[in-house]
Short mmCIF file of all heavy atoms in Angstrom, two decimals:
data_model
loop_
_atom_site.label_atom_id
_atom_site.label_comp_id
_atom_site.label_asym_id
_atom_site.label_seq_id
_atom_site.Cartn_x
_atom_site.Cartn_y
_atom_site.Cartn_z
N HIS A 700 202.02 124.86 -133.25
CA HIS A 700 202.13 126.05 -132.39
C HIS A 700 200.78 126.75 -132.18
O HIS A 700 200.61 127.49 -131.22
CB HIS A 700 203.17 127.03 -132.98
CG HIS A 700 202.59 127.98 -133.99
ND1 HIS A 700 202.35 127.63 -135.30
CD2 HIS A 700 202.16 129.25 -133.86
CE1 HIS A 700 201.82 128.65 -135.93
NE2 HIS A 700 201.70 129.66 -135.09
N LEU A 701 199.80 126.46 -133.05
CA LEU A 701 198.49 127.10 -132.89
C LEU A 701 197.67 126.49 -131.74
O LEU A 701 196.56 126.93 -131.46
CB LEU A 701 197.68 126.99 -134.19
CG LEU A 701 198.22 127.78 -135.39
CD1 LEU A 701 197.37 127.51 -136.63
CD2 LEU A 701 198.26 129.29 -135.12
N TYR A 702 198.24 125.49 -131.05
CA TYR A 702 197.50 124.83 -129.96
C TYR A 702 197.04 125.82 -128.90
O TYR A 702 196.02 125.61 -128.23
CB TYR A 702 198.35 123.72 -129.31
CG TYR A 702 199.38 124.19 -128.31
CD1 TYR A 702 199.02 124.47 -126.99
CD2 TYR A 702 200.71 124.36 -128.66
CE1 TYR A 702 199.97 124.91 -126.06
CE2 TYR A 702 201.65 124.80 -127.74
CZ TYR A 702 201.27 125.07 -126.45
OH TYR A 702 202.19 125.52 -125.54
N VAL A 703 197.79 126.93 -128.71
CA VAL A 703 197.45 127.87 -127.63
C VAL A 703 196.05 128.47 -127.80
O VAL A 703 195.48 128.98 -126.85
CB VAL A 703 198.48 129.03 -127.52
CG1 VAL A 703 199.83 128.51 -127.06
CG2 VAL A 703 198.59 129.80 -128.82
N TYR A 704 195.51 128.42 -129.02
CA TYR A 704 194.18 128.99 -129.23
C TYR A 704 193.07 128.01 -128.85
O TYR A 704 191.88 128.37 -128.85
CB TYR A 704 194.01 129.44 -130.69
CG TYR A 704 195.02 130.49 -131.08
CD1 TYR A 704 196.17 130.16 -131.78
CD2 TYR A 704 194.83 131.82 -130.71
CE1 TYR A 704 197.12 131.13 -132.12
CE2 TYR A 704 195.77 132.79 -131.04
CZ TYR A 704 196.90 132.44 -131.75
OH TYR A 704 197.83 133.39 -132.08
N GLY A 705 193.43 126.77 -128.56
CA GLY A 705 192.45 125.78 -128.12
C GLY A 705 191.28 125.69 -129.09
O GLY A 705 191.47 125.51 -130.30
N SER A 706 190.06 125.86 -128.57
CA SER A 706 188.88 125.71 -129.43
C SER A 706 188.75 126.83 -130.46
O SER A 706 187.93 126.74 -131.37
CB SER A 706 187.61 125.64 -128.57
OG SER A 706 187.55 126.80 -127.76
N ASP A 707 189.54 127.91 -130.33
CA ASP A 707 189.49 128.99 -131.33
C ASP A 707 190.38 128.70 -132.55
O ASP A 707 190.39 129.47 -133.51
CB ASP A 707 189.96 130.32 -130.70
CG ASP A 707 188.89 130.95 -129.83
OD1 ASP A 707 187.69 130.65 -130.04
OD2 ASP A 707 189.25 131.73 -128.93
N MET A 708 191.15 127.63 -132.47
CA MET A 708 192.10 127.31 -133.55
C MET A 708 191.40 127.24 -134.91
O MET A 708 191.92 127.74 -135.91
CB MET A 708 192.72 125.95 -133.21
CG MET A 708 193.99 125.65 -133.89
SD MET A 708 194.63 124.16 -133.07
CE MET A 708 195.68 123.57 -134.36
N ASN A 709 190.19 126.66 -134.92
CA ASN A 709 189.47 126.51 -136.19
C ASN A 709 189.12 127.88 -136.79
O ASN A 709 189.05 128.04 -138.00
CB ASN A 709 188.15 125.76 -135.99
CG ASN A 709 188.40 124.41 -135.36
OD1 ASN A 709 189.53 123.94 -135.36
ND2 ASN A 709 187.35 123.80 -134.81
N LYS A 710 188.91 128.88 -135.90
CA LYS A 710 188.52 130.20 -136.40
C LYS A 710 189.70 130.87 -137.10
O LYS A 710 189.50 131.70 -138.00
CB LYS A 710 187.99 131.06 -135.25
CG LYS A 710 186.71 130.47 -134.66
CD LYS A 710 186.19 131.28 -133.50
CE LYS A 710 185.10 130.50 -132.76
NZ LYS A 710 184.99 130.85 -131.36
N ILE A 711 190.91 130.51 -136.70
CA ILE A 711 192.09 131.06 -137.41
C ILE A 711 192.16 130.43 -138.80
O ILE A 711 192.49 131.10 -139.79
CB ILE A 711 193.36 130.82 -136.57
CG1 ILE A 711 193.22 131.64 -135.29
CG2 ILE A 711 194.62 131.19 -137.35
CD1 ILE A 711 194.38 131.60 -134.36
N GLN A 712 191.78 129.16 -138.88
CA GLN A 712 191.75 128.49 -140.20
C GLN A 712 190.72 129.19 -141.11
O GLN A 712 190.93 129.31 -142.30
CB GLN A 712 191.40 127.00 -140.06
CG GLN A 712 192.41 126.19 -139.25
CD GLN A 712 193.82 126.25 -139.79
OE1 GLN A 712 194.05 126.62 -140.95
NE2 GLN A 712 194.80 125.91 -138.96
N VAL A 713 189.62 129.66 -140.52
CA VAL A 713 188.59 130.36 -141.32
C VAL A 713 189.20 131.64 -141.91
O VAL A 713 189.01 131.96 -143.10
CB VAL A 713 187.33 130.68 -140.47
CG1 VAL A 713 186.36 131.56 -141.23
CG2 VAL A 713 186.66 129.40 -140.00
N ILE A 714 189.96 132.37 -141.09
CA ILE A 714 190.62 133.61 -141.59
C ILE A 714 191.53 133.26 -142.77
O ILE A 714 191.54 133.94 -143.80
CB ILE A 714 191.43 134.28 -140.45
CG1 ILE A 714 190.48 134.78 -139.35
CG2 ILE A 714 192.31 135.41 -140.99
CD1 ILE A 714 191.17 135.41 -138.15
N ILE A 715 192.26 132.15 -142.63
CA ILE A 715 193.18 131.75 -143.70
C ILE A 715 192.40 131.36 -144.96
O ILE A 715 192.79 131.71 -146.08
CB ILE A 715 194.07 130.56 -143.24
CG1 ILE A 715 194.96 131.01 -142.08
CG2 ILE A 715 194.91 130.00 -144.39
CD1 ILE A 715 195.69 129.90 -141.36
N SER A 716 191.28 130.67 -144.76
CA SER A 716 190.54 130.22 -145.95
C SER A 716 190.01 131.43 -146.74
O SER A 716 189.87 131.37 -147.96
CB SER A 716 189.41 129.26 -145.57
OG SER A 716 188.46 129.96 -144.80
N LYS A 717 189.76 132.55 -146.05
CA LYS A 717 189.29 133.75 -146.77
C LYS A 717 190.44 134.50 -147.43
O LYS A 717 190.24 135.21 -148.40
CB LYS A 717 188.56 134.67 -145.79
CG LYS A 717 187.22 134.06 -145.40
CD LYS A 717 186.36 135.03 -144.63
CE LYS A 717 185.05 134.35 -144.26
NZ LYS A 717 184.54 134.75 -142.96
N ASN A 718 191.65 134.37 -146.87
CA ASN A 718 192.81 135.05 -147.45
C ASN A 718 194.04 134.16 -147.25
O ASN A 718 194.78 134.29 -146.28
CB ASN A 718 193.00 136.41 -146.76
CG ASN A 718 194.17 137.18 -147.36
OD1 ASN A 718 194.89 136.66 -148.22
ND2 ASN A 718 194.37 138.40 -146.89
N PRO A 719 194.26 133.22 -148.21
CA PRO A 719 195.32 132.21 -148.05
C PRO A 719 196.72 132.81 -147.83
O PRO A 719 197.59 132.15 -147.25
CB PRO A 719 195.26 131.39 -149.33
CG PRO A 719 193.86 131.61 -149.84
CD PRO A 719 193.46 132.99 -149.41
N GLU A 720 196.93 134.08 -148.23
CA GLU A 720 198.26 134.69 -148.02
C GLU A 720 198.60 134.79 -146.53
O GLU A 720 199.75 134.85 -146.13
CB GLU A 720 198.26 136.11 -148.58
CG GLU A 720 198.60 136.12 -150.04
CD GLU A 720 198.75 137.54 -150.56
OE1 GLU A 720 198.94 138.47 -149.75
OE2 GLU A 720 198.66 137.69 -151.78
N LEU A 721 197.55 134.81 -145.70
CA LEU A 721 197.77 134.97 -144.26
C LEU A 721 198.31 133.70 -143.61
O LEU A 721 198.60 133.68 -142.42
CB LEU A 721 196.47 135.42 -143.57
CG LEU A 721 195.98 136.80 -143.96
CD1 LEU A 721 194.62 137.10 -143.34
CD2 LEU A 721 196.98 137.89 -143.54
N LYS A 722 198.45 132.65 -144.41
CA LYS A 722 199.04 131.41 -143.88
C LYS A 722 200.57 131.55 -143.77
O LYS A 722 201.24 130.74 -143.10
CB LYS A 722 198.67 130.24 -144.78
CG LYS A 722 198.78 128.93 -144.05
CD LYS A 722 198.39 127.76 -144.86
CE LYS A 722 198.66 126.53 -144.00
NZ LYS A 722 198.35 125.32 -144.64
N GLN A 723 201.11 132.57 -144.44
CA GLN A 723 202.58 132.76 -144.45
C GLN A 723 203.13 133.03 -143.06
O GLN A 723 202.53 133.77 -142.28
CB GLN A 723 202.90 134.02 -145.25
CG GLN A 723 203.16 133.80 -146.69
CD GLN A 723 203.31 135.16 -147.38
OE1 GLN A 723 203.65 136.17 -146.77
NE2 GLN A 723 203.02 135.15 -148.67
N LYS A 724 204.32 132.47 -142.82
CA LYS A 724 205.01 132.79 -141.56
C LYS A 724 205.42 134.26 -141.59
O LYS A 724 205.77 134.80 -142.64
CB LYS A 724 206.29 131.97 -141.46
CG LYS A 724 206.10 130.60 -140.87
CD LYS A 724 207.48 130.00 -140.73
CE LYS A 724 207.51 128.79 -139.87
NZ LYS A 724 208.85 128.38 -139.53
N ILE A 725 205.45 134.89 -140.40
CA ILE A 725 205.88 136.29 -140.35
C ILE A 725 207.41 136.34 -140.49
O ILE A 725 207.96 137.24 -141.13
CB ILE A 725 205.43 136.97 -139.04
CG1 ILE A 725 203.94 136.75 -138.82
CG2 ILE A 725 205.77 138.47 -139.06
CD1 ILE A 725 203.43 137.11 -137.44
N HIS A 726 208.09 135.35 -139.92
CA HIS A 726 209.55 135.27 -140.01
C HIS A 726 209.96 133.79 -139.97
O HIS A 726 209.38 133.04 -139.17
CB HIS A 726 210.19 136.04 -138.85
CG HIS A 726 211.66 136.24 -139.01
ND1 HIS A 726 212.59 135.25 -138.78
CD2 HIS A 726 212.37 137.33 -139.41
CE1 HIS A 726 213.80 135.72 -139.02
NE2 HIS A 726 213.70 136.98 -139.41
N PRO A 727 210.95 133.39 -140.77
CA PRO A 727 211.29 131.96 -140.79
C PRO A 727 211.77 131.39 -139.44
O PRO A 727 211.66 130.19 -139.21
CB PRO A 727 212.41 131.85 -141.84
CG PRO A 727 212.73 133.23 -142.27
CD PRO A 727 211.68 134.17 -141.78
N ASN A 728 212.28 132.24 -138.54
CA ASN A 728 212.83 131.72 -137.28
C ASN A 728 211.79 131.30 -136.25
O ASN A 728 212.11 130.60 -135.30
CB ASN A 728 213.71 132.78 -136.59
CG ASN A 728 214.99 133.01 -137.34
OD1 ASN A 728 215.25 132.36 -138.34
ND2 ASN A 728 215.80 133.94 -136.86
N LEU A 729 210.57 131.81 -136.40
CA LEU A 729 209.53 131.50 -135.40
C LEU A 729 208.28 131.03 -136.14
O LEU A 729 208.05 131.43 -137.29
CB LEU A 729 209.23 132.73 -134.52
CG LEU A 729 210.30 133.10 -133.50
CD1 LEU A 729 209.99 134.46 -132.84
CD2 LEU A 729 210.48 132.04 -132.41
N PRO A 730 207.43 130.21 -135.51
CA PRO A 730 206.32 129.58 -136.26
C PRO A 730 205.14 130.49 -136.54
O PRO A 730 204.23 130.11 -137.28
CB PRO A 730 205.89 128.45 -135.31
CG PRO A 730 206.24 128.93 -133.95
CD PRO A 730 207.49 129.76 -134.11
N TYR A 731 205.09 131.69 -135.97
CA TYR A 731 203.88 132.52 -136.04
C TYR A 731 203.52 132.92 -137.48
O TYR A 731 204.40 133.27 -138.27
CB TYR A 731 204.05 133.77 -135.18
CG TYR A 731 204.38 133.41 -133.75
CD1 TYR A 731 205.59 133.80 -133.16
CD2 TYR A 731 203.51 132.63 -132.99
CE1 TYR A 731 205.90 133.44 -131.85
CE2 TYR A 731 203.81 132.26 -131.70
CZ TYR A 731 205.01 132.66 -131.13
OH TYR A 731 205.31 132.30 -129.86
N ILE A 732 202.20 132.90 -137.76
CA ILE A 732 201.74 133.22 -139.12
C ILE A 732 200.93 134.53 -139.11
O ILE A 732 200.46 134.97 -138.07
CB ILE A 732 200.90 132.07 -139.72
CG1 ILE A 732 199.69 131.73 -138.82
CG2 ILE A 732 201.76 130.83 -139.96
CD1 ILE A 732 198.73 130.73 -139.43
N LYS A 733 200.77 135.10 -140.30
CA LYS A 733 200.13 136.42 -140.41
C LYS A 733 198.67 136.40 -139.94
O LYS A 733 198.16 137.40 -139.42
CB LYS A 733 200.24 136.95 -141.84
CG LYS A 733 201.68 137.27 -142.21
CD LYS A 733 201.82 137.84 -143.59
CE LYS A 733 203.28 138.20 -143.84
NZ LYS A 733 203.53 138.58 -145.22
N ALA A 734 197.99 135.27 -140.11
CA ALA A 734 196.58 135.20 -139.70
C ALA A 734 196.45 135.47 -138.20
O ALA A 734 195.41 135.96 -137.73
CB ALA A 734 196.01 133.82 -140.04
N GLU A 735 197.49 135.15 -137.43
CA GLU A 735 197.42 135.38 -135.98
C GLU A 735 197.37 136.88 -135.66
O GLU A 735 196.79 137.27 -134.64
CB GLU A 735 198.62 134.73 -135.28
CG GLU A 735 198.55 133.20 -135.31
CD GLU A 735 199.80 132.56 -134.75
OE1 GLU A 735 199.94 132.49 -133.52
OE2 GLU A 735 200.66 132.15 -135.56
#
Side-chain angles (χ1 to χ4, degrees):
H700 87 280
L701 293 177
Y702 80 82
V703 293
Y704 300 99
S706 56
D707 283 337
M708 199 170 157
N709 303 344
K710 296 179 192 152
I711 295 183
Q712 298 302 343
V713 172
I714 294 177
I715 296 170
S716 66
K717 289 190 181 144
N718 182 355
E720 274 186 19
L721 294 174
K722 201 178 176 181
Q723 268 174 24
K724 274 185 166 192
I725 309 168
H726 192 283
N728 289 358
L729 288 171
Y731 304 118
I732 57 173
K733 292 182 177 172
E735 291 174 79

